[in-house]
Amino acid sequence: MTDLAHLKFYATQPHPCSYLPEEQAVTLFLDPQQPIQPDTYSQLSELGFRRSGEHLYRPHCAQCRACVPARIPAADFVPNKQQLRIHKRNRDLQVTTRRPVMNEEIYQLYSRYIIARHSDGDMFPPSREQFQSFLVSEDAFCEFNEFRLDGRLLAVAVTDRLNNGLSAVYTFFDPDQSRRSLGRYAILWQIEQARRSGLPAVYLGYWIRNCRKMNYKTEYRPLEMLINQRWTRVN
């Protein structure tokens, strides 16, 4: 295991929070000169860190504790009726795994998704440079999982395969296919992959009580959250 005590971390200056507009956020980053090793990444995920591009980070706000790391214990997950319907609705999709890449097909899907679903966020407007820096990684643990219907790309789940689970980095999908609930289906698929691989958890990033876009994370049961530096089952 990596000795985390020897790692260097840097904190940003306060900046507007992406999730709670009235708040100022501070982010703690692993030294960007430190290569991201799977062992280090896995241990830091236990402490609430996430990956964005080539950076491992976690919120480090002095007064606010709204961002709560969340994960699904894969072996104990029990789908509810809605999730069973979503799974059945998407049984006709084919999923293939590939190395991260930016090609025109994938980028156009990403661009349509951001424009349709996140035009009010800091990822709008989409750009190829943004896509490349955010999602395309040369690290061996990162993979693109493509969901297709008769060859047509409907969704991509960007996933990091760690020693202690799968990290659901980001999912984007065809905004015209809302009936399929592709974002939720991608999580169900990743839970099943974690089970098949003998990995204990799927890491969902941060849950924020007052952020409507985060509500979907509490639909997965059981769910664990990192509270007072301990993973606690909350439902």
Side-chain angles (χ1 to χ4, degrees):
M1 293 181 67
T2 303
D3 184 358
L4 300 182
H6 289 83
L7 298 177
K8 293 181 180 179
F9 297 88
Y10 298 95
T12 66
Q13 292 295 316
H15 55 275
C17 179
S18 300
Y19 301 110
L20 301 175
E22 69 279 7
E23 297 289 345
Q24 289 286 299
V26 175
T27 306
L28 188 70
F29 282 96
L30 176 66
D31 182 356
Q33 300 302 314
Q34 171 78 34
I36 300 178
Q37 301 294 338
D39 198 36
T40 301
Y41 185 0
S42 300
Q43 290 181 70
L44 288 176
S45 72
E46 292 288 326
L47 301 176
F49 279 77
R50 295 281 289 168
R51 184 179 68 83
S52 177
E54 299 303 316
H55 300 285
L56 293 182
Y57 74 95
R58 75 176 182 191
H60 191 62
C61 307
Q63 305 299 327
C64 180
R65 295 291 182 270
C67 295
V68 183
R71 70 183 184 187
I72 303 165
D76 296 337
F77 171 71
V78 179
N80 59 30
K81 290 182 180 180
Q82 181 193 42
Q83 290 161 346
L84 289 171
R85 287 195 296 269
I86 290 172
H87 193 276
K88 182 178 180 180
R89 205 174 295 149
N90 288 283
R91 285 187 302 184
D92 55 347
L93 298 185
Q94 301 83 44
V95 187
T96 57
T97 299
R98 65 180 299 166
R99 297 291 304 133
V101 66
M102 184 182 71
N103 59 34
E104 195 63 20
E105 179 188 38
I106 292 174
Y107 175 72
Q108 288 302 324
L109 180 66
Y110 170 81
S111 178
R112 288 178 56 217
Y113 171 76
I114 294 297
I115 291 170
R117 294 297 185 99
H118 296 287
S119 60
D120 58 343
D122 55 9
M123 296 173 67
F124 181 86
S127 71
R128 286 173 169 80
E129 292 76 18
Q130 172 205 65
F131 180 92
Q132 183 78 29
S133 64
F134 176 37
L135 295 177
V136 179
S137 171
E138 296 181 0
D139 292 304
F141 51 72
C142 182
E143 57 192 32
F144 278 13
N145 298 293
E146 300 178 347
F147 297 73
R148 294 180 181 272
L149 178 65
D150 299 327
R152 182 161 64 96
L153 184 65
L154 296 189
V156 176
V158 183
T159 309
D160 287 349
R161 187 172 291 269
L162 307 179
N163 301 339
N164 55 334
L166 298 180
S167 180
V169 176
Y170 199 71
T171 298
F172 53 95
F173 49 85
D174 187 338
D176 295 333
Q177 297 285 331
S178 58
R179 181 179 174 276
R180 286 184 175 270
S181 301
L182 289 165
R184 287 172 168 83
Y185 178 64
I187 294 176
L188 296 173
W189 183 87
Q190 288 171 99
I191 295 169
E192 183 58 32
Q193 294 307 300
R195 278 178 166 169
R196 290 181 179 180
S197 301
L199 295 171
V202 174
Y203 289 79
L204 297 180
Y206 304 110
W207 173 79
I208 301 172
R209 182 185 300 274
N210 294 327
C211 181
R212 180 180 54 82
K213 291 182 179 179
M214 298 289 189
N215 289 348
Y216 73 92
K217 297 182 181 183
T218 59
E219 297 171 4
Y220 300 88
R221 295 171 180 263
L223 187 71
E224 296 177 347
M225 293 186 181
L226 188 61
I227 300 171
N228 296 326
Q229 301 182 350
R230 293 184 59 185
W231 287 100
T232 303
R233 194 162 290 195
V234 295
N235 59 22

